[in-house]
């Protein structure tokens, strides 16, 4: 506590007062004080104070003047108001000897003067100017760190504040769009010392600071600003390829992701290039190929291979899909000759691609209008087929099918219809 080594006269007090007020009800209505110089004044030597960060407590010796019914407190913020005092409190009990002035600014000098008051708004001269100062804020939070390279989150840690008056912390994050600090989390408990900010975008930087608050809700200055960056998505695979010449399957192959902590790859497939992808398989991080077994010939699919790291972050799916297909059927032959020569049926055909290694010939014998019997001749190597086993007057229908080295069979050709004519009986 510090006393101003100066006696303030009644005239000086009147000059210092700014907006003195009605002593009973309205502290803001400016009126001229009614001074009775015979009223007893609080003993300057009895006036004592104790300071906190936002409050100052006063103690004094009561006056014995029977006319006194209470006390008026005048105050000025010396940093803002200079010596322009205002009435801040009117105590209505002469036996009161303690008063606490609250909601003050930390580390700030204030000047006070106190008068005794009587009935009808009469008051005494004031005490000498009494200068005292609130305590400074407690020190900011120290050793704040923000940890980078975490998946979709940033962890902020700090050293617990040593001051036992601390009740909680506020973690603030800087909003670069609004150019302002926003409270992200209130962390209760002096010994609590971390906060994890979750659901963040990948590979983004964020700024944080931590402020401690006392039980009276007085804040420290903010800590130093710390910056951290979330983990980036893993890099996808390179040079993904898919086959189109394998029977009943599509074989995928790729070069591994260059990201160091990949634990597996996901294979996604769709029948449409731009959407509709579903995961069909997972393989470990040492596998760089996959065989997709396909039942259909010539079936097309689009593929993406997604890298997955140890934090289950996945590489971007916004990459071009690679098309693959199972081997198509060989092209069907083209019949160039289908006729009866003598007593046999003769068929000639040409190939439509170079995959055929043999042919199947189908012979359908029409038994009647509704019934037929089919025979299959396999492993025909030539481009010609002769059938000697035919009967006059019966209709036969022939079709050809090509076989490739994988056992895939082409579609059948259109049927060629032949009838061995009956020989007329001579009369």
């Amino acid at each position: 506590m510090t006393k101003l080594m100066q006696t303030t006269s009644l005239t000086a007090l009147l000059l210092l007062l700014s907006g003195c007020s009605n002593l009973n009800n309205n502290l803001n209505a400016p009126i001229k004080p009614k001074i009775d110089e015979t009223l007893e004044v609080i003993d300057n030597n009895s006036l004592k104070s104790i300071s906190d960060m936002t409050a100052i407590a006063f103690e004094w010796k009561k006056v014995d003047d029977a006319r006194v019914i209470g006390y008026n407190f005048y105050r000025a913020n010396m940093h803002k108001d200079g010596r322009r005092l205002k009435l801040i409190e009117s105590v209505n009990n002469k036996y009161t000897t303690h008063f606490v002035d609250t909601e003050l600014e930390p580390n700030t000098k204030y000047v006070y003067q106190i008068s005794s008051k009587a009935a009808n708004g009469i008051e005494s001269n004031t005490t000498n100017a009494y200068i005292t100062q609130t305590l400074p804020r407690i020190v900011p939070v120290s050793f704040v760190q923000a940890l980078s390279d975490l998946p979709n989150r940033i962890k902020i840690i700090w050293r617990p504040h040593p001051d036992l008056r601390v009740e909680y912390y506020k973690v603030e994050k800087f909003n670069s769009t609004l150019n302002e600090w926003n409270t992200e989390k209130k962390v209760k408990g002096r010994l609590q010392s971390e906060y994890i900010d979750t659901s963040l975008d990948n590979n983004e930087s964020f700024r944080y600071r931590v402020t401690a608050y006392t039980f009276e809700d007085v804040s420290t200055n903010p800590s130093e600003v710390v910056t951290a960056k979330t983990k980036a998505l893993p890099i996808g695979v390179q040079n993904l390829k898919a086959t189109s010449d394998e029977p009943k399957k599509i074989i995928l192959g790729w070069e591994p992701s260059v990201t160091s902590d990949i634990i597996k790859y996901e294979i996604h497939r769709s029948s449409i290039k731009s959407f509709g992808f579903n995961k069909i398989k997972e393989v470990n991080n040492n596998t760089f190929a996959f065989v997709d077994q396909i039942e259909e010939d010539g079936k097309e699919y689009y593929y993406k291979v997604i890298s997955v790291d140890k934090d289950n972050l996945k590489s971007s799916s916004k990459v071009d899909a690679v098309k693959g297909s199972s081997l198509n059927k060989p092209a069907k032959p083209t019949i160039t000759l289908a006729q009866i020569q003598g007593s046999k049926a003769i068929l000639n055909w040409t190939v439509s691609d170079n995959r055929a290694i043999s042919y199947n010939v189908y012979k359908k014998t029409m038994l009647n209008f509704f019934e037929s019997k089919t025979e299959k001749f396999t492993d025909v190597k030539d481009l010609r087929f002769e059938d000697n086993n035919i009967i006059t007057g019966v209709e036969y229908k022939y079709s050809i099918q090509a076989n490739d080295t994988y056992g895939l069979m082409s579609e059948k050709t259109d049927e060629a219809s032949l009838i061995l004519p009956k020989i007329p009986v001579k009369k």
Side-chain angles (χ1 to χ4, degrees):
M1 101 184 61
T2 305
K3 293 184 178 179
L4 184 66
M5 303 303 296
Q6 163 181 347
T7 301
T8 305
S9 67
L10 175 61
T11 304
L13 173 61
L14 294 175
L15 292 175
L16 294 174
L17 293 176
S18 172
C20 291
S21 61
N22 183 303
L23 300 184
N24 294 318
N25 299 314
N26 189 349
L27 299 182
N28 294 318
I31 62 172
K32 183 176 180 180
K34 299 176 182 179
I35 306 300
D36 183 345
E37 295 188 8
T38 67
L39 277 177
E40 183 181 354
V41 182
I42 292 174
D43 182 2
N44 286 287
N45 293 324
S46 73
L47 186 58
K48 300 177 182 178
S49 67
I50 300 175
S51 296
D52 203 342
M53 285 187 290
T54 60
I56 300 175
F58 291 91
E59 180 184 57
W60 62 92
K61 182 180 178 181
K62 78 175 184 67
V63 299
D64 294 324
D65 192 322
R67 296 171 295 172
V68 171
I69 63 171
Y71 310 97
N72 289 333
F73 274 78
Y74 296 90
R75 182 193 71 201
N77 182 326
M78 297 185 67
H79 296 268
K80 295 181 179 179
D81 306 323
R83 296 287 187 84
R84 298 176 63 82
L85 286 87
K86 292 182 180 180
L87 178 64
I88 60 164
E89 184 69 22
S90 188
V91 178
N92 294 318
N93 190 332
K94 69 177 291 183
Y95 295 97
T96 298
T97 57
H98 293 83
F99 166 67
V100 180
D101 191 12
T102 59
E103 299 182 4
L104 302 176
E105 298 180 18
N107 199 29
T108 302
K109 284 185 178 182
Y110 292 91
V111 59
Y112 293 86
Q113 292 184 229
I114 310 168
S115 67
S116 302
K117 71 174 184 175
N120 301 320
I122 304 299
E123 61 183 293
S124 71
N125 288 319
T126 66
T127 61
N128 295 337
Y130 185 94
I131 296 177
T132 187
Q133 182 171 343
T134 51
L135 297 180
R137 296 178 188 271
I138 58 178
V139 297
V141 177
S142 64
F143 193 68
V144 180
Q145 287 187 317
L147 306 183
S148 295
D149 294 323
L150 299 178
N152 310 111
R153 68 206 68 195
I154 289 175
K155 181 176 180 178
I156 300 96
I157 60 175
W158 58 89
R159 181 173 293 140
H161 204 289
D163 197 305
L164 297 180
R165 292 173 290 178
V166 169
E167 181 187 18
Y168 66 94
Y169 304 92
K170 280 186 181 179
V171 180
E172 295 178 289
K173 182 165 66 175
F174 189 71
N175 186 322
S176 56
T177 302
L178 300 177
N179 196 33
E180 65 183 20
W181 289 95
N182 296 324
T183 299
E184 189 70 19
K185 181 68 176 180
K186 180 178 179 179
V187 181
K188 294 184 178 181
R190 180 178 69 88
L191 299 180
Q192 295 293 338
S193 59
E194 76 170 23
Y195 167 65
I196 300 176
D197 193 9
T198 58
S199 301
L200 303 177
D201 291 334
N202 301 292
N203 201 30
E204 293 266 347
S205 292
F206 299 91
R207 299 168 62 197
Y208 300 87
R209 66 185 187 185
V210 181
T211 303
Y213 285 77
T214 68
F215 286 93
E216 289 77 26
D217 220 32
V218 180
S219 67
T220 65
N221 288 321
S223 70
E224 64 179 13
V225 176
V226 292
T227 302
K229 191 174 187 179
T230 52
K231 188 178 183 181
L233 293 179
I235 297 173
V237 302
Q238 306 295 313
N239 297 323
L240 175 63
K241 298 183 183 302
T243 61
S244 59
D245 56 359
E246 296 288 338
K248 305 295 185 183
K249 60 189 171 185
I250 299 172
I251 301 176
L252 304 180
W254 62 87
E255 295 177 13
S257 167
V258 297
T259 301
S260 61
D261 61 349
I262 296 300
I263 61 170
K264 62 184 177 181
Y265 297 102
E266 293 181 353
I267 292 91
H268 294 246
R269 184 182 74 183
S270 174
S271 57
I272 302 172
K273 183 177 182 179
S274 56
F275 63 91
F277 285 86
N278 295 307
K279 182 175 71 175
I280 60 171
K281 185 68 176 179
E282 287 184 358
V283 297
N284 63 41
N285 62 343
N286 293 318
T287 300
F288 311 119
F290 170 68
V291 178
D292 191 11
Q293 299 291 342
I294 308 294
E295 294 301 321
E296 299 179 61
D297 300 322
K299 179 64 176 179
E300 291 184 349
Y301 282 114
Y302 293 88
Y303 296 89
K304 296 180 180 182
V305 177
I306 305 299
S307 307
V308 184
D309 70 12
K310 64 181 180 64
D311 295 309
N312 205 38
L313 291 182
K314 300 180 181 182
S315 60
S316 175
S317 61
K318 296 179 180 180
V319 294
D320 291 337
V322 173
K323 185 174 76 171
S325 64
S326 58
L327 184 63
N328 211 340
K329 297 176 180 181
K332 65 182 179 181
T334 301
I335 296 177
T336 58
L337 176 67
Q339 63 179 218
I340 299 296
Q341 294 184 5
S343 60
K344 58 185 178 183
I346 297 177
L347 299 171
N348 288 348
W349 59 87
T350 59
V351 297
S352 300
D353 60 32
N354 58 3
R355 287 172 52 191
I357 60 170
S358 67
Y359 302 91
N360 301 324
V361 178
Y362 294 86
K363 174 185 177 183
K364 183 186 294 185
T365 302
M366 304 304 297
L367 303 178
N368 55 49
F369 188 77
F370 298 103
E371 295 182 280
S372 64
K373 179 181 70 174
T374 301
E375 296 177 77
K376 180 180 178 181
F377 302 91
T378 61
D379 201 28
V380 177
K381 302 294 185 181
D382 296 326
L383 301 178
R384 180 182 177 87
F385 177 76
E386 296 183 3
D387 185 12
N388 295 309
N389 187 19
I390 58 176
I391 301 173
T392 59
V394 176
E395 182 182 10
Y396 300 94
K397 295 182 179 181
Y398 296 89
S399 60
I400 314 297
Q401 183 180 56
N403 304 301
D404 72 2
T405 186
Y406 301 110
L408 300 184
M409 295 179 290
S410 71
E411 301 292 336
K412 296 177 183 178
T413 62
D414 294 336
E415 291 179 324
S417 180
L418 296 175
I419 299 176
L420 177 62
K422 293 182 179 181
I423 300 174
V425 178
K426 294 182 179 180
K427 294 182 180 180

